[in-house]
Amino acid sequence: MKNPNYNTLVERFVFYVLLFGSVLFLPWWVFFIIAIVALYRLDTFYELILFGIFADSIYATETKSVFGGYTYVYSVVSILLVFLARTLRQRIGF
């Protein structure tokens, strides 16, 4: 007999592997597309913040023109996406 949360755990693991691989091997926009899909499919995906920190620890450089010299763009965008998804879920109710 399978655990009822088995499918969620498998799906969560698949998103872990996809995000880890996208941080290492794919362009930045693929990471954010996978992150948005993961936030839609899973109820709480706070682990995305850790993937943002991981990406910043690898690729963080000073950006002078786009973000005003701020270095940790992946982390900030990941935090914003997680809390935006949580807020939208509460307001929409799904």
Side-chain angles (χ1 to χ4, degrees), residues 31-32 48 56 67 72-82:
F31 171 79
F32 288 119
L48 180 61
D56 277 332
F67 298 107
Y72 303 106
V73 177
Y74 278 97
S75 299
V76 171
V77 172
S78 297
I79 291 169
L80 290 175
L81 281 175
V82 166

Side-chain angles (χ1 to χ4, degrees), residues 8-45:
T8 306
L9 290 175
V10 169
E11 191 173 12
R12 191 173 292 269
F13 180 74
V14 167
F15 280 120
Y16 289 166
V17 171
L18 287 173
L19 284 170
F20 185 75
S22 70
V23 166
L24 293 177
F25 303 114
L26 298 174
W28 63 269
W29 52 270
V30 176
F31 171 79
F32 288 119
I33 290 172
I34 295 171
I36 290 169
V37 171
L39 287 169
Y40 175 74
R41 295 283 300 154
L42 301 171
D43 288 336
T44 56
F45 196 62

